[in-house]
Amino acid sequence: MTIAIVGAGLGGLALARVLHVNGIDAVVYERESSRDARGQGGMLDIHSGQRALREAGLIDQFHAIARGEGQDMRLLEPDGTLLLQEDTPEDAPLERPEVDRADLRNLLLDSLPEHAVRWGHAFESADNGVLHFVDGSSATYDLLVGADGANSRVRALLTDARPAHIGQNVVELGIPDIDRTYPDLAAMVGRGNYWVLGNGKSLAAQRNGDGRVRIGLSFYDTAEDWFATSGIPFDDPAAARARLIDLLPGWDARFTALIAACDDTVVPRSITTLPVGLTWPSTPGVTLLGDAAHLMPPVGEGANMALLDGALLGLALAAHPDDFPAAVKEYEREMFERTSAAARMSADMQELLMSPDAAQKMLAFFQPG
């Protein structure tokens, strides 16, 4: 029985690893040419996903690369008012540590046999147990798992649902080696997450393991084509930074100084999600996991759900090695319930972030009563 996984992201690799631990082979097909073909993004807050790493036999290795100090948080209003500062004690348990996405992906990749991932295989279509790739090659499968992310091509085999814009547009920026280049800004941001919320905008700065601070500047209640009308010249990074500062009237000078200090990486991202509670009739031979199945707002749940999807599907297949349809039904039943709850919570958090008094509401969320 051949298991084909399309996509070498966290969910697909977690599935491959749990299957490997249970003596079941699988092949992961990835469109990228190698693990280093592109950057993997910033830090991840791994909480419920730690169960997946335990099932994969990798929890100790995860703890070795996780940053407990990444649990620190500072919450401010645009005028500079500090509402909350939480500093993690050195001996605090790793309940929600931060980890570099690339480091976590490499941990999973290194835990698999060398032949398990086939790089440079861009999925095109599938029919009658045969995968077709863009380069004209093909492969057979008994079970196809779409772990190919937000813009999944496998998803179309199960549902016509497509991601829709949710009124948030993000500009990603960053400051490399901030401790050396801007020590005052480094001290302001701290060791973990730094949030400024209010007036339909947010600035999220996050310390990464390599010394870079990644910054996401979000504009809420904006149209899908907002970047085209925003006046941000993305082809001129210095002018783009200046325009972003202009879009933050009344913000404390410390926050605009963060933007001015960024390098020339200025990347626009429109945020989309799948419908909350998306399901599909269980179909023999194909299923989905991660963003392909339940794309959510980026508020800390997506990676955890993807890891759990991969691990729990792997366990279901190990429990029913001769009955893949039964395993898929069991997995999908649990996955639909679990991820629908996570998607509803994420949507609620997204609504909170979009409110004019987002900082005060976030403070109440973290310090209820």
Side-chain angles (χ1 to χ4, degrees):
M1 300 287 277
T2 303
I3 301 174
I5 304 166
V6 174
L10 299 181
L13 294 174
L15 169 58
R17 169 62 183 180
V18 170
L19 289 172
H20 176 67
V21 166
N22 284 278
I24 301 173
D25 290 332
V27 179
V28 182
Y29 296 98
E30 170 55 49
R31 67 183 303 121
E32 294 172 5
S33 58
S34 71
R35 70 168 72 192
D36 301 316
R38 67 175 178 86
Q40 293 298 309
M43 305 298 285
L44 298 171
D45 163 18
I46 302 300
H47 41 93
S48 60
Q50 290 189 49
R51 178 188 172 189
L53 295 166
R54 289 189 182 90
E55 298 290 356
L58 298 173
I59 194 64
D60 290 339
Q61 295 94 316
F62 168 73
H63 286 157
I65 62 174
R67 295 178 58 246
E69 67 274 17
Q71 299 172 103
D72 289 6
M73 186 178 64
R74 298 177 186 182
L75 174 65
L76 304 97
E77 293 184 307
D79 66 1
T81 301
L82 177 65
L83 297 178
L84 178 66
Q85 179 169 333
E86 292 184 342
D87 296 323
T88 308
E90 293 299 325
D91 59 349
L94 295 176
E95 294 178 350
R96 302 181 70 100
E98 299 282 337
V99 66
D100 189 295
R101 182 187 289 269
D103 289 346
L104 181 54
R105 187 186 192 221
N106 283 334
L107 171 62
L108 289 163
L109 283 168
D110 292 341
S111 73
L112 295 172
E114 186 175 349
H115 66 273
V117 179
R118 310 284 173 84
W119 301 99
H121 282 70
F123 172 82
E124 183 172 56
S125 63
D127 56 72
N128 299 319
V130 179
L131 294 175
H132 302 279
F133 301 102
V134 171
D135 65 1
S137 63
S138 62
T140 60
Y141 68 90
D142 295 292
L143 174 63
L144 169 61
V145 181
D148 49 341
N151 298 312
S152 170
R153 301 191 71 170
V154 178
R155 187 191 297 127
L157 299 175
L158 293 171
T159 173
D160 61 2
R162 296 290 182 272
H165 190 254
I166 60 171
Q168 179 184 1
N169 289 286
V170 181
V171 181
E172 293 185 359
L173 310 104
I175 304 173
D177 197 10
I178 192 172
D179 290 310
R180 182 183 62 82
T181 56
Y182 295 94
D184 291 345
L185 294 179
M188 181 182 78
V189 170
R191 306 181 303 173
N193 292 282
Y194 187 84
W195 285 8
V196 185
L197 304 174
N199 305 322
K201 305 177 182 71
S202 71
L203 182 154
Q206 184 184 57
R207 179 69 70 104
N208 283 208
D210 62 358
R212 182 179 180 86
V213 163
R214 294 175 65 92
I215 296 170
L217 194 56
S218 292
F219 298 87
Y220 301 102
D221 198 21
T222 50
E224 190 170 6
D225 64 352
W226 181 78
F227 286 125
T229 61
S230 66
I232 304 171
F234 289 101
D235 58 347
D236 183 343
R241 293 192 295 271
R243 174 58 181 159
L244 289 169
I245 291 171
D246 288 342
L247 292 171
L248 301 174
W251 280 48
D252 188 278
R254 292 172 296 170
F255 308 145
T256 55
L258 268 178
I259 298 170
C262 289
D263 63 12
D264 286 348
T265 302
V266 185
V267 180
R269 297 200 185 281
S270 293
I271 304 302
T272 61
T273 66
L274 286 167
V276 173
L278 175 66
T279 64
W280 53 82
S282 193
T283 302
V286 61
T287 192
L288 304 172
L289 61 76
D291 285 349
H294 44 69
L295 180 64
M296 305 174 193
V299 295
E301 291 295 327
N304 288 279
M305 291 299 106
L307 288 167
L308 281 170
D309 289 350
L312 296 177
L313 176 55
L315 291 175
L317 291 166
H320 304 282
D322 299 318
D323 193 346
F324 283 1
V328 167
K329 281 186 178 181
E330 178 181 303
Y331 155 73
E332 289 177 341
R333 188 181 307 114
E334 187 279 338
M335 183 269 288
F336 290 149
E337 181 177 357
R338 168 174 47 82
T339 62
S340 292
R344 283 192 295 273
M345 185 191 73
S346 297
D348 290 344
M349 180 68 73
Q350 183 73 10
E351 186 175 345
L352 183 156
L353 292 171
M354 295 177 71
S355 63
D357 56 345
Q360 292 292 337
K361 287 184 176 179
M362 185 65 77
L363 178 63
F365 175 82
F366 285 114
Q367 294 186 332

